Amino acid sequence: MMLIRRVPTCQNIGIPGKKCGTIILTAEELNCCRDAVLMQFCANKLDKKDFFGKSDPFLVFYRSNEDGSFTICHKTEVVKNTLNPIWQAFKISVRALCNGDYDRTVKVEVYDWDRDGSHDFIGEFTTSYRELSRGQSQFNIYEVINPKKKGKKKKYTNSGTVTLLSFVVETEVSFLDYIKGGTQINFTVAIDFTASNGNPSQPTSLHYMNPYQLNAYGMALKAVGEIVQDYDSDKMFPALGFGAKLPPDGRISHEFALLPCCWNTKAALCRVRVDLLPANHNGNPQNPYCDGIEGVMEAYYRSLKSVQLYGPTNFAPVINHVARYASSVKDGSQYFVLLIVTDGVISDMAQTKESIVNASKLPMSIIIVGVGPAEFDAMVELDGDDVRVSSRGKYAERDIVQFVPFRDYIDRSGNHILSMARLAKDVLAEIPEQFLSYMRTRGIKPSPAPPPYTPPTHVLHTQI
């Protein structure tokens, strides 16, 4: 079913008597098809459009809508200066291509690319998912027709041909498919205990120990932790700190277990490796685990009373800590997420970039939550959304960092979160795709979900 609504663009602008046009919103109910198609095309003897060269052809695919209109669903890359291009294979979901209707018309237009954007139309053809699914055959060699040329020239045959080279159907799996199949998500929390956060005894400090309300770190830990803990299989969080001087001798540590955490036998048997724990710890070396986010909060406040905030702010040690665990489990049964809560003043940028590049090959992601009013330019750089993180000439295999400035989600007083739903969405925005990108590149498929639990039936025996 398709819904169409026309919205006058000047309706609420306050320009009396002036028409600014109409925006048409079109909606169609999506089919539940989860298949995707990997296709590749080539062309032969396309029309020459460039005066000093041949043509720079590309394809534009359109899905037909229920009202007979067409919507662009894919554009190929441009192949320069050729009349016989071979385009790269591309993947498109069946929903995007035809919304699961195998007989729905798919229109393909062929253009010659021009630098100024006025691309020259070469011709077009139509097909359908059902026809394309026959694969490479005589049925999938299409004549490219230019209607204007065909109407003017009696001897016009075509403007070239386009041939389907390959057609492979893949079923798209989701993050939830892996979770249902038994993949465990393991969260680790790392908290910034550096002096740049301010003296905890002063109200201006981000670590201020206010007896009546949570400080900035406490608010961020509680809000973000309550979001992520629902995705952790056993809700036992290793809780680490970095950038503090530790009792009794005042050694500086960039990776220490918080004081004290609650023990969990299952977590100990499954995940704790004493040889991988930091030597200069503050808590129990055999137990870095805290019971839920409340356990993390308790450990954070206890540690805050016993350590001295110092520095510098080094991320690499805690990233490498989680990476050591992740490197030992690469079969898709576990995925690791490191949550770093920091004021954003980083001292080991080069080492952190190297750690991220190395960790991008492992089943892990990093969420950085920035607290306080500082500029977070370095955190945005680590996020890698615009430019992939690199170190020593090597780029990260995939984007594994998500940065969230916590101040964007609290009111001006700094005491109340404006929207937990928006915070949750942004904190977890990239984790599913980062997770799936690791599984796809390693060829790891989700295990079948176990059958739903069926309670035993009790047969009532009556004695006569």
Side-chain angles (χ1 to χ4, degrees):
M1 180 179 67
M2 174 173 286
L3 300 176
I4 300 176
R5 183 183 180 189
R6 296 177 182 271
V7 183
T9 56
C10 292
Q11 185 172 350
N12 299 314
I13 304 301
I15 308 177
K18 188 173 181 180
K19 294 183 178 180
C20 300
T22 302
I23 297 174
I24 301 175
L25 305 179
T26 304
E28 181 177 341
E29 185 177 354
L30 287 176
N31 188 284
C32 62
C33 178
R34 293 172 57 188
D35 289 344
V37 180
L38 185 67
M39 294 187 286
Q40 186 176 20
F41 291 85
C42 70
N44 189 42
K45 296 181 181 180
L46 295 176
D47 285 353
K48 178 178 177 295
K49 290 290 184 178
D50 293 341
F51 184 76
F52 292 107
K54 296 179 180 179
S55 286
D56 304 320
F58 66 96
L59 303 177
V60 182
F61 289 75
Y62 295 84
R63 178 188 69 245
S64 61
N65 301 314
E66 291 180 335
D67 64 350
S69 62
F70 287 90
T71 301
I72 293 177
C73 59
H74 182 74
K75 287 183 181 179
T76 68
E77 78 284 3
V78 176
V79 181
K80 292 292 191 72
N81 197 32
T82 179
L83 303 180
N84 304 296
I86 300 176
W87 290 281
Q88 295 178 10
F90 64 91
K91 183 186 286 188
I92 184 171
S93 71
V94 175
R95 284 203 298 191
L97 185 66
C98 63
N99 199 17
D101 181 353
Y102 294 171
D103 296 308
R104 185 179 294 200
T105 299
V106 175
K107 183 171 71 171
V108 184
E109 293 179 343
V110 187
Y111 286 91
D112 166 49
W113 176 86
D114 285 333
R115 187 181 301 275
D116 63 2
S118 59
H119 310 310
D120 299 318
F121 179 70
I122 295 176
E124 64 185 17
F125 63 91
T126 60
T127 182
S128 68
Y129 177 91
R130 194 176 300 280
E131 289 180 17
L132 292 169
S133 66
R134 296 179 178 182
Q136 187 179 21
S137 67
Q138 74 262 25
F139 300 107
N140 279 315
I141 301 175
Y142 300 95
E143 288 189 296
V144 178
I145 303 298
N146 187 319
K148 287 186 179 180
K149 279 190 173 184
K150 186 176 182 180
K152 291 179 181 179
K153 298 181 180 181
K154 292 183 179 180
K155 294 184 179 180
Y156 176 82
T157 305
N158 58 52
S159 295
T161 60
V162 170
T163 301
L164 175 68
L165 294 177
S166 62
F167 184 93
V168 179
V169 180
E170 300 176 357
T171 299
E172 296 263 284
V173 294
S174 69
F175 174 71
L176 191 58
D177 290 327
Y178 287 91
I179 302 303
K180 287 180 178 178
T183 298
Q184 297 188 22
I185 307 297
N186 304 314
F187 278 94
T188 298
V189 179
I191 301 172
D192 183 344
F193 283 89
T194 57
S196 59
N197 288 283
N199 187 334
S201 64
Q202 300 297 320
T204 54
S205 173
L206 298 172
H207 282 303
Y208 178 53
M209 290 187 286
N210 189 328
Y212 302 107
Q213 64 184 39
L214 297 174
N215 60 27
Y217 274 80
M219 282 186 65
L221 279 170
K222 185 173 178 61
V224 177
E226 287 179 349
I227 293 166
V228 301
Q229 74 175 354
D230 289 336
Y231 293 85
D232 190 287
S233 306
D234 56 20
K235 294 180 175 51
M236 299 300 297
F237 298 138
L240 306 175
F242 58 91
K245 280 188 174 182
L246 308 183
D249 54 3
R251 287 177 299 165
I252 300 172
S253 175
H254 304 296
E255 177 195 359
F256 59 90
L258 301 189
L259 269 176
C261 298
C262 305
W263 183 248
N264 177 280
T265 306
K266 175 190 169 188
L269 293 174
C270 295
R271 292 191 287 174
V272 173
R273 287 182 55 189
V274 177
D275 59 306
L276 295 182
L277 292 171
N280 51 342
H281 54 80
N282 187 28
N284 186 337
Q286 295 185 355
N287 175 27
Y289 289 88
C290 296
D291 188 2
I293 196 60
E294 292 301 327
V296 174
M297 297 283 289
E298 178 186 348
Y300 159 63
Y301 280 112
R302 290 193 180 185
S303 296
L304 197 57
K305 294 175 183 177
S306 65
V307 304
Q308 178 186 348
L309 304 192
Y310 204 70
T313 308
N314 294 347
F315 285 4
V318 292
I319 294 174
N320 294 337
H321 174 92
V322 176
R324 288 194 294 270
Y325 285 91
S327 65
S328 65
V329 189
K330 298 181 182 178
D331 60 357
S333 62
Q334 297 191 49
Y335 193 86
F336 297 79
V337 179
L338 170 62
L339 171 63
I340 300 176
V341 187
T342 178
D343 69 350
V345 182
I346 184 170
S347 307
D348 65 339
M349 191 66 168
Q351 293 89 339
T352 294
K353 284 184 175 181
E354 184 175 9
S355 296
I356 290 172
V357 169
N358 293 334
S360 68
K361 304 169 186 167
L362 303 173
M364 70 175 284
S365 292
I366 302 167
I367 301 171
I368 303 175
V369 176
V371 296
E375 293 297 324
F376 291 117
D377 294 346
M379 302 300 103
V380 174
E381 184 179 349
L382 294 178
D383 194 309
D385 285 343
D386 298 323
V387 180
R388 188 69 59 87
V389 175
S390 64
S391 173
R392 301 183 184 184
K394 293 183 179 179
Y395 283 86
E397 184 179 297
R398 57 196 179 91
D399 176 21
I400 65 168
V401 179
Q402 166 75 343
F403 170 66
V404 177
F406 190 66
R407 65 185 175 215
D408 290 355
Y409 305 88
I410 55 178
D411 61 11
R412 290 184 178 182
S413 71
N415 298 324
H416 301 287
I417 297 172
L418 296 173
S419 172
M420 278 296 292
R422 188 165 68 91
L423 176 62
K425 176 178 177 293
D426 291 350
V427 165
L428 299 173
E430 297 181 14
I431 296 296
E433 182 52 40
Q434 290 174 3
F435 175 98
L436 290 171
S437 70
Y438 176 82
M439 298 300 180
R440 281 196 297 261
T441 56
R442 299 304 186 276
I444 300 173
K445 303 292 184 184
S447 300
Y453 173 73
T454 304
T457 56
H458 298 283
V459 179
L460 183 63
H461 295 282
T462 55
Q463 193 170 14
I464 300 177

